[in-house]
């Protein structure tokens, strides 16, 4: 059962989705409002870093089954993968991209079309926001169209694998819509396909990311408590995790990315009285400030300190800097330490996205290393060479990444989050 499918929004989810659908034999038209993305795709280039994605996209383009387009046209299925940012100020979802996608689809949808929203949205959005806009086409969202929410659950850095192997939750506005969408996903998903309604599917996605946020907040708070008691938090967590039913997550510099720091707020938006969800967000959001305090303490005796900030991306081995704790750390250091020079290093992040410099240059004459992202590339960091090129030997390790005995043996004052 191959189909003609439009994919709207060719970002971290839409592009791999389009590629995988093309590989499964469908005829895919990839659309994005950003003309540059379409032009680059036509030239065989992609704008994001994700293992295997460039090769898979080139293969899809070469097969002729993936066509980048700058206008939307008729298709059997339309899959919307646009971002849902949130307003930092009000902590509420910004549905403008989702609304714009529905408006763009209204003139092209036909009776019997499948319309799938994959973007993460507050529970109820597909039924109460997305479908009514589609109905400006004159078609009824339940009788004439098959409208579905199918949240993506892939882990950036492992997207292509997880897109095919994870289970998939498919929730339609009607059982028939659910069944149609299930059949489409079954053409490339090897995991189970779980059928439910649209609002439950939306809620499940938010609950999954909130679960992780709460667990990371727990780890961060445990680390702060351990510190206040003079206990090595990571040693304590490693021992606690030997218990068969304990799995404390890793403490760190805070939670970044476009999902986990945002999605729990979509639940709080609907239930302002939800205490655990809100507290978790607050604990994780406070971590960059804690890191900045550790750095300030480490360089308190240094005039106009030079800090090498290792890692700008929000987590290991990705190029994504959205909501990255590193950015908050850099901003807070700039606010709190007069005359500070911050040199960012990130081999994954293109310099046009964030100004970075090579590792060696950043360490030359520096006073403190702040290990913010645990990229594999930083495994090559040699304490002896760092010691030789730095002015003062201090380091703050937010990931428990540096080998403490090796760094202290080189005379480093090392603090670990
Ligand atoms: N982090 C910690 N400690 C940990 C684990 C993570 O501090 O023990 C930090 C990371 O460094 C990063 C942030 O949390 O800054 C989030 O990273 P992540 O790897 O936990 O998750 P994401 O945001 O890359 O992807 C999540 C995933 N959700 C879950 O695992 C429940 C992914 O499956 C979702 O598809 C994705 O959000 C999404 O798109 O919603």
């Amino acid at each position: 059962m191959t189909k003609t499918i439009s994919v709207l929004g060719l970002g971290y989810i839409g592009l791999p989705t389009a590629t995988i659908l093309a590989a499964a034999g469908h005829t895919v038209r990839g659309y994005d409002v950003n003309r540059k993305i379409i032009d680059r795709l036509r030239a065989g280039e992609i704008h994001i870093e994700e293992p295997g994605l460039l090769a898979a996209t080139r293969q899809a383009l070469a097969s002729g089954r993936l066509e980048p387009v700058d206008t939307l046209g008729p298709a059997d299925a339309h899959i919307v993968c646009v971002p849902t940012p949130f307003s930092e100020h009000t902590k509420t979802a910004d549905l403008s991209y989702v609304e714009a996608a529905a408006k763009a689809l209204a003139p092209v949808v036909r009776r019997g079309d499948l319309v799938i929203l994959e973007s993460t949205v507050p529970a109820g959005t597909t039924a109460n926001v997305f479908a009514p806009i589609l109905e400006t086409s004159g078609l009824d969202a339940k009788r004439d169209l098959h409208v579905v929410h199918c949240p993506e659950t892939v882990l950036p850095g492992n997207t292509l694998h997880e897109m095919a192997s994870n289970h998939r939750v498919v929730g339609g506005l009607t059982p028939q819509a659910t069944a149609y969408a299930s059949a489409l996903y079954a053409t490339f998903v090897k995991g189970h396909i779980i059928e439910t309604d649209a609002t439950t599917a939306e809620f499940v996605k938010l609950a999954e990311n909130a679960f992780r946020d709460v667990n990371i907040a727990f780890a961060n708070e445990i680390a702060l408590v351990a510190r206040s008691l003079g206990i090595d938090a990571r040693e304590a967590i490693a021992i606690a995790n030997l218990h068969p039913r304990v799995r404390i997550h890793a403490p760190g510099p805070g939670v970044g990315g476009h999902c986990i720091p945002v999605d729990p707020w979509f639940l709080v938006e609907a239930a302002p009285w939800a205490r655990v969800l809100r507290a978790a967000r607050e604990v994780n959001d406070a971590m960059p400030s804690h890191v900045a305090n550790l750095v300030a303490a480490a360089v308190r005796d240094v005039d106009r300190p030079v800090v090498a900030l290792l890692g700008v991306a929000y987590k290991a081995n990705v190029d994504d800097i959205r909501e990255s704790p590193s950015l908050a750390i850099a901003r807070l250091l700039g606010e709190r330490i007069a005359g500070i020079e911050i040199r960012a290093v990130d081999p994954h992040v293109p310099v046009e996205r964030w100004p970075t410099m090579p590792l060696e240059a950043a360490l030359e004459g520096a006073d403190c290393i702040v290990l913010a992202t645990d990229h594999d590339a930083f495994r090559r960091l040699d304490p002896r060479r760092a010691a030789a090129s730095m002015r003062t030997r201090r380091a703050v390790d937010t990931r428990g990444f540096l080998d403490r005995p090796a760094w202290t043996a080189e005379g480093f004052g090392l603090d670990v989050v």
Side-chain angles (χ1 to χ4, degrees):
M1 187 211 48
T2 62
K3 302 237 175 231
T4 302
I5 303 169
S6 286
V7 177
L8 281 77
L10 297 176
Y12 288 91
I13 299 303
L15 184 56
T17 301
T19 301
I20 281 185
L21 285 166
H26 301 288
T27 302
V28 184
R29 309 223 167 90
Y31 170 82
D32 200 289
V33 287
N34 183 345
R35 195 51 217 259
K36 277 195 209 134
I37 292 176
I38 300 298
D39 289 343
R40 281 178 82 163
L41 267 180
R42 284 183 174 143
E45 296 299 333
I46 64 175
H47 62 293
I48 48 182
E49 187 187 283
E50 178 62 39
L53 185 58
L54 179 62
T57 305
R58 286 185 174 162
Q59 210 171 348
L61 291 167
S63 73
R65 286 198 297 273
L66 171 60
E67 186 195 353
V69 294
D70 39 35
T71 48
L72 283 170
D76 305 317
H78 312 262
I79 305 184
V80 175
C81 305
V82 297
T84 32
F86 82 136
S87 152
E88 191 66 57
H89 182 59
T90 59
K91 308 286 191 205
T92 54
D94 169 2
L95 294 176
S96 54
Y97 295 93
V98 170
E99 289 166 1
K103 278 186 196 137
L105 281 174
V108 299
V109 286
R110 299 161 310 174
R111 195 177 301 275
D113 280 5
L114 185 56
V115 188
I116 300 170
L117 179 62
E118 284 205 11
S119 313
T120 305
V121 287
T125 302
T126 304
N128 304 325
V129 179
F130 191 64
I133 300 176
L134 292 174
E135 287 184 330
T136 60
S137 62
L139 297 170
D140 185 280
K142 287 188 178 158
R143 276 199 311 272
D144 303 323
L145 296 171
H146 302 292
V147 181
V148 177
H149 181 65
C150 178
E152 59 77 19
T153 58
V154 296
L155 193 71
N158 197 22
T159 295
L160 286 177
H161 171 74
E162 291 207 354
M163 203 166 263
S165 63
N166 286 4
H167 70 258
R168 216 59 212 231
V169 180
V170 175
L173 293 189
T174 63
Q176 200 183 23
T178 306
Y180 280 9
S182 284
L184 176 62
Y185 283 99
T187 61
F188 69 93
V189 170
K190 295 189 204 84
H192 291 296
I193 295 179
I194 293 108
E195 299 190 352
T196 182
D197 61 84
T199 306
T200 304
E202 291 163 337
F203 182 77
V204 166
K205 165 72 196 223
L206 301 178
E208 288 167 356
N209 279 351
F211 172 87
R212 197 149 167 87
D213 197 44
V214 169
N215 278 280
I216 298 168
F218 178 82
N220 283 331
E221 191 151 87
I222 282 291
L224 294 176
V225 174
R227 183 184 186 87
S228 73
L229 296 174
I231 292 165
D232 179 330
R234 284 167 195 274
E235 182 193 353
I237 288 172
I239 297 171
N241 281 346
L242 297 175
H243 185 286
R245 282 174 298 283
V246 174
R247 234 299 273 138
I248 302 176
H249 285 46
V255 170
H258 57 301
C259 299
I260 297 186
V262 175
D263 297 356
W265 288 119
F266 295 179
L267 293 171
V268 175
E269 185 179 340
W273 41 263
R275 284 184 295 169
V276 173
L277 302 177
R278 184 187 292 274
R281 280 285 68 244
E282 287 167 358
V283 168
N284 287 333
D285 275 352
M287 290 309 288
S289 176
H290 172 61
V291 175
N293 285 344
L294 300 185
V295 178
V299 298
R300 66 188 172 281
D301 55 345
V302 182
D303 187 37
R304 306 179 72 77
V306 176
V307 166
L309 180 65
L310 305 193
V312 181
Y314 80 94
K315 69 171 189 176
N317 308 324
V318 301
D319 68 343
D320 196 339
I321 66 169
R322 286 177 291 176
E323 310 286 331
S324 175
S326 304
L327 307 183
I329 293 167
R331 179 176 50 76
L332 292 168
L333 287 175
E335 284 167 13
R336 290 182 192 173
I337 305 177
I340 189 171
E341 180 186 337
I342 301 168
R343 300 172 178 171
V345 178
D346 199 312
H348 291 273
V349 174
V351 285
E352 59 273 19
R353 196 172 297 164
W354 194 263
T356 54
M357 59 168 73
L359 180 61
E360 289 70 25
L363 293 183
E364 195 58 53
D367 299 299
C368 185
I369 289 174
V370 181
L371 193 290
T373 315
D374 41 351
H375 288 317
D376 287 343
F378 295 144
R379 299 240 173 251
R380 290 193 295 273
L381 203 58
D382 175 4
R384 183 162 299 172
R385 281 178 55 195
S389 59
M390 288 173 69
R391 181 169 63 181
T392 321
R393 296 173 190 179
R394 311 273 160 81
V396 174
D397 178 3
T398 74
R399 303 276 183 177
F401 182 89
L402 303 176
D403 176 9
R404 189 193 281 272
W407 286 76
T408 45
E410 292 300 330
F412 274 87
L414 174 64
D415 207 344
V416 182
V417 172

